[in-house]
Amino acid sequence: MSGILDARPRVGYFFSGKTTMQAIGESIKNKLVNDYKSVPILVKESSTVYEAICTMFLEDVGTLFVVNDHSHLVGVVSRKDLLRSAIGRQELEVIPVSVIMTRMPNLILTFPDESLHAAATKLIQFQIDALPVVKPLASDSAAQKYEIVGRITKTSITKAYVELGSEEL
Ligand code: ADP
């Protein structure tokens, strides 16, 4: 199972030629976003900053994804985005999240069939905590529209790491 030995009918087991490190590397790269994604927590773009703060506490997440009336992904709101608007003494019960969110097309996305390693690389490269897992919707306009099907966070990556450490080599 670790990939170090291979088996063939009428041949039996033989050395695959891979080192332990190569086998571990392969095992990491075989893990898919789809198998590690968790439930995305969504807010509407018309929700107020106050409502977004409440949702973040109630759902116990650090990142919220913002959708429009057609449930298309339009933005991301993180803890710091909400803190920033709170210390700015803005009217939290009036301002919609759409004013403070990071918006399309500046969002960093991942896809169900992308490797978890590629998603983890994006988290590190862009210094963010979460990625929306999306499926493109057929669209005739130039602006690409996406449906959100999950989320990948630093916790998803830690889970995969723990799992990998528990695998028997
Ligand atoms: P925190 O605010 O808790 O540090 P992040 O590091 O994830 O959380 O967010 C930093 C900034 O990056 C925020 O302004 C947030 O809106 C933005 N951001 C978070 N996730 C994404 C993403 N997937 N794509 C683009 N921008 C993002």
Side-chain angles (χ1 to χ4, degrees), residues 56 62-65 75-84 100-103 106-110 123 126-132 154:
M56 193 172 271
T63 308
L64 300 171
F65 300 126
V76 169
V77 176
S78 76
R79 275 178 283 224
K80 241 175 274 160
D81 295 329
L82 295 173
L83 273 176
R84 196 182 301 117
I100 66 154
M101 70 188 185
T102 301
R103 60 185 60 248
N106 300 324
L107 300 188
I108 313 301
L109 312 170
T110 186
L123 291 177
F126 295 98
Q127 300 182 359
I128 47 179
D129 292 347
L131 299 170
K154 288 180 175 172

Side-chain angles (χ1 to χ4, degrees), residues 17-81:
K18 291 174 200 155
T19 65
T20 308
M21 284 313 287
Q22 280 172 325
I24 292 173
E26 218 164 81
S27 171
I28 290 175
K29 287 187 176 139
N30 283 340
K31 292 182 189 295
L32 290 182
V33 160
N34 196 44
D35 300 324
Y36 289 88
K37 67 182 187 322
S38 52
V39 178
I41 306 301
L42 311 177
V43 288
K44 285 204 162 170
E45 59 184 341
S46 55
S47 307
T48 65
V49 172
Y50 181 84
E51 285 166 339
I53 293 172
C54 294
T55 306
M56 193 172 271
F57 271 96
L58 288 171
E59 301 287 349
D60 195 18
V61 291
T63 308
L64 300 171
F65 300 126
V66 186
V67 291
N68 63 17
D69 288 338
H70 306 289
S71 300
H72 300 156
L73 174 67
V74 293
V76 169
V77 176
S78 76
R79 275 178 283 224
K80 241 175 274 160
D81 295 329

Side-chain angles (χ1 to χ4, degrees), residues 108 115-127 131 157:
I108 313 301
S115 79
L116 195 62
H117 181 262
T121 305
K122 288 179 184 173
L123 291 177
I124 296 296
Q125 185 183 351
F126 295 98
Q127 300 182 359
L131 299 170
I157 310 298

